[in-house]
C-alpha cells in the first residue's frame, strides 16, 4: 500500500536525508588508495551518531554495517570489511539514517584516485540517469516513467540496467511501497501524487545487466565481473515537482 506523507513527515525524512547527504560527503572525502572499508564504516557511524541520528542500515534485516560498501564489480550490499582500496578502484557507498522514526537513504559511487575514462563515463551516466529519473517525479506522471527515463538513457550507452534490485518508497520504514524499478514502459504504473516520497536508485553495469549474490548472502556482483555504479537520492513529490531531500543547502522542507 502506497502511503502519501504529510508535510511534517517529509520534514523528518528531510532531516534524516540531509544527514545521509553529509555522511556521504564526509565518507567521499576519505575515499582514497590505502583506506580500509571497515574504517570508512566506523567514521560514518560516529558521524551519524554525532548528529543525533541513528544509522539506518545497521541491524536491518541483519545487516552488520552502517554503510553498504561495494567496490568495482560489486553492485550493492557490500559488508564493510578489511578490504583495502586501491588506485583505480571505484567504491559505491550507500547510507541510511533515522531521525524521529523516519528514514533517509542515498548512495554515491566514488573514484579511488585516478580511474579509467571508461569507468568515469559509467559514473557520469549513472548520476545523470538519476537526475533524469527524478525529473519524472511530477504529480500526474506514471511511476514507470521514472524507470523508463533511466533505462533508455543508460541503454543508449550500451550499459546494463539491473533488474533484480529497485528503488522504493521511504518513510517510517526504509523500504515502503511502491517499488521503483530502473526500467519500464512509459505511461504505465500508478499515478504519482503530491506527498509521495521515493528513494530512486539506478544500479548500472558497464557490461551485462545480470547479477549474482555472493556466498555471504549479501554482496551482489555483476555476472561478467565488469564495474557497476550506484547513485541514489531520497525525493519528495510536491505540487511543484520533485524536491531532492538528500542534498545540502536549503529546501522548502527545512
Ligand atoms: Mg540506499
Ligand atoms: Mg534505497
Amino acid at each position: 500500500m502506497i502511503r502519501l506523507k504529510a508535510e511534517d513527515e517529509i520534514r523528518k525524512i528531510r532531516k534524516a536525508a540531509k544527514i545521509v547527504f553529509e555522511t556521504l560527503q564526509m565518507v567521499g572525502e576519505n575515499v582514497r588508495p590505502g583506506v580500509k572499508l571497515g574504517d570508512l564504516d566506523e567514521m560514518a557511524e560516529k558521524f551519524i551518531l554525532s548528529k543525533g541520528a541513528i544509522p539506518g542500515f545497521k541491524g536491518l534485516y541483519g545487516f552488520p554495517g552502517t554503510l553498504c560498501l561495494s567496490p568495482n564489480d560489486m553492485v550493492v550490499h557490500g559488508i564493510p570489511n578489511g578490504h583495502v582500496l586501491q588506485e583505480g578502484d571505484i567504491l559505491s557507498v550507500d547510507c541510511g539514517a533515522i531521525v524521529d522514526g523516519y528514514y533517509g537513504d542515498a548512495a554515491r559511487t566514488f573514484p579511488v584516485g585516478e580511474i579509467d575514462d571508461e569507468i568515469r563515463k559509467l559514473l557520469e551516466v549513472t548520476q545523470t540517469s538519476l537526475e533524469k529519473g527524478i525529473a519524472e517525479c511530477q504529480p500526474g506522471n506514471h511511476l514507470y516513467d521514472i524507470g523508463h527515463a533511466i533505462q533508455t538513457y543508460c541503454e543508449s550507452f550500451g550499459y546494463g540496467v539491473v533488474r533484480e534490485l529497485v528503488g522504493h518508497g521511504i518513510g517510517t520504514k526504509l523500504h515502503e511501497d511502491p517499488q521503483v524499478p530502473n526500467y519500464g514502459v512509459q505511461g504505465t504504473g500508478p499515478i504519482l501524487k503530491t506527498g509521495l516520497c521515493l528513494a530512486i536508485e539506478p544500479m548500472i553495469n558497464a557490461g551485462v545487466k545480470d547479477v549474482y549474490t555472493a556466498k555471504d548472502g549479501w554482496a551482489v556482483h555483476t555476472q561478467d565481473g565488469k564495474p557497476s555504479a550506484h547513485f541514489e537520492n531520497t525525493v519528495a513529490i510536491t505540487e511543484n515537482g520533485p524536491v531532492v531531500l538528500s542534498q545540502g543547502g536549503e529546501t522548502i522542507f527545512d
Side-chain angles (χ1 to χ4, degrees):
M1 197 193 76
I2 296 174
R3 208 173 63 76
L4 303 175
K5 272 73 183 182
E7 190 182 321
D8 65 310
E9 295 184 281
I10 301 177
R11 287 178 182 279
K12 291 174 185 173
I13 297 170
R14 161 61 177 162
K15 279 184 188 165
K18 188 173 189 180
I19 291 169
V20 170
F21 168 84
E22 292 168 350
T23 307
L24 288 171
Q25 240 186 355
M26 183 279 293
V27 171
E29 285 163 10
N30 285 282
V31 168
R32 64 175 80 91
V35 168
K36 199 187 292 178
L37 297 187
D39 292 344
L40 293 175
D41 192 65
E42 204 172 303
M43 280 179 217
E45 179 171 5
K46 281 186 185 152
F47 184 86
I48 290 169
L49 292 172
S50 78
K51 297 283 177 179
I54 300 167
F57 297 168
K58 199 166 191 172
L60 188 69
Y61 315 122
F63 189 78
T66 290
L67 303 173
C68 293
L69 295 175
S70 309
N72 301 326
D73 70 306
M74 207 186 281
V75 182
V76 285
H77 299 165
I79 293 175
N81 57 20
H83 180 88
V84 175
L85 293 173
Q86 291 179 25
E87 181 86 21
D89 285 348
I90 54 172
L91 180 68
S92 294
V93 180
D94 195 350
C95 181
I98 308 168
V99 173
D100 295 337
Y102 285 79
Y103 282 85
D105 185 12
R108 308 280 185 264
T109 301
F110 297 108
V112 182
E114 284 300 313
I115 61 173
D116 288 350
D117 288 346
E118 272 183 33
I119 302 179
R120 186 171 295 281
K121 184 78 185 171
L122 173 70
L123 269 49
E124 286 169 6
V125 168
T126 305
Q127 187 161 23
T128 301
S129 79
L130 171 58
E131 288 161 14
K132 288 179 180 291
I134 291 170
E136 294 298 322
C137 290
Q138 308 287 345
N141 276 9
H142 290 262
L143 179 65
Y144 301 145
D145 293 346
I146 298 169
H148 178 78
I150 292 169
Q151 178 183 18
T152 50
Y153 183 67
C154 292
E155 286 183 349
S156 75
F157 293 88
Y159 296 147
V161 178
V162 175
R163 301 298 201 272
E164 290 85 346
L165 300 147
V166 296
H168 49 92
I170 187 164
T172 55
K173 291 187 202 146
L174 177 64
H175 297 126
E176 297 187 356
D177 288 338
Q179 292 199 343
V180 186
N182 296 304
Y183 55 91
V185 176
Q186 200 169 23
T188 66
I191 302 279
L192 300 176
K193 292 180 182 160
T194 297
L196 182 59
C197 293
L198 299 174
I200 300 173
E201 49 180 316
M203 289 153 269
I204 305 301
N205 300 344
V208 298
K209 66 183 187 323
D210 309 272
V211 298
Y212 70 93
T213 303
K215 283 184 186 143
D216 68 6
W218 283 104
V220 176
H221 295 263
T222 59
Q223 196 74 55
D224 59 9
K226 291 188 178 172
S228 184
H230 182 205
F231 285 83
E232 177 180 27
N233 275 322
T234 295
V235 176
I237 297 176
T238 74
E239 58 185 2
N240 298 314
V243 174
V244 174
L245 302 178
S246 47
Q247 65 168 318
E250 292 284 307
T251 73
I252 57 167
F253 296 108
D254 291 302

